[in-house]
Amino acid sequence: MSSLIAIEDAGHVRTIRLNRPEVKNALNQELAWGIVTAIEDAMKVDDAWVICLTGTGDAFCSGLDLRGPGDYSPKSPLTTQLDDLSWVSEFLLTLRQKCDKPIIGAINGVAVGAGLSLALATDIRLMKRSARILAGYPRIGGSPDGGMTFTLSQAIGYEQTMRFLLENKTVDAEEALRLGLVGEVVDDDRWEARVAEYCQGLCATVSPITMRLTKRTVVKATTAIDLEAQCRLELSSIRMAFASEDGKEARRAFMEKRPPVFRGR
């Protein structure tokens, strides 16, 4: 297990915490694969009925670490070479399709880019009142990945998804609730207690068999597309966007804190 992941077990709830608070839990390869591995491990523990995914410190996940993701992989060199989906697509595929246990996304702070994709891949979301979310992709010249094109449009519909992605506006907790991005907003001073109360409440009122079968059937009923194919389309699109001159200009402008100058090439 990655040292960048903290695991806590309480009752029948396993909490997985992203643990890079010094960089607002920005994703490098080790942390990202650590999340996937932690979910896979929790799937195998019969006594863990509910999984809670959250962040350490004042952030859920600030997205990709732009200083560099590193070269860590839990897979063999050859398997890594053949992996065309990598961790960013595994967020959606593992959390939704592979794991049939309910995963509660406890958005304790900022969630941006791939960090927001991770949050949206969870089944039920609670959001701290002071937290903020942002697509983030346009400011670095990219299109969405991590399954966001599926989870976001599933949650809030086509036009609101287009607005959210293209306008790239920061959304507070109340607006996130209004849009349907989260199901509950929790005051900061009640945050830890309410998340624990919610997760334990599920365990007290619903059997683990019922929870797993419910998720299996709801996921099946609401997934009318080939998720792997959609993830591959996302990745080919973001690679094209990043490779363009405009994509490079967007990242330079972001790092230099100035408006970008786009030329359509």
Side-chain angles (χ1 to χ4, degrees), residues 120-140:
L120 290 172
T122 62
D123 303 303
I124 295 171
R125 290 174 291 280
L126 286 72
M127 187 170 176
K128 198 174 187 179
R129 190 169 298 279
S130 61
R132 299 292 184 268
I133 60 178
L134 175 71
Y137 292 96
R139 67 181 183 178
I140 58 171

Side-chain angles (χ1 to χ4, degrees), residues 96-97 150 154 218-227:
R96 285 286 183 96
Q97 282 200 321
F150 172 72
Q154 186 184 59
V218 171
V219 167
K220 185 69 172 178
T222 56
T223 306
I225 65 170
D226 183 334
L227 287 184

Side-chain angles (χ1 to χ4, degrees), residues 100-116:
D100 63 0
K101 298 180 180 183
I103 302 176
I104 311 305
I107 306 174
N108 61 301
V110 65
V112 180
L116 180 56

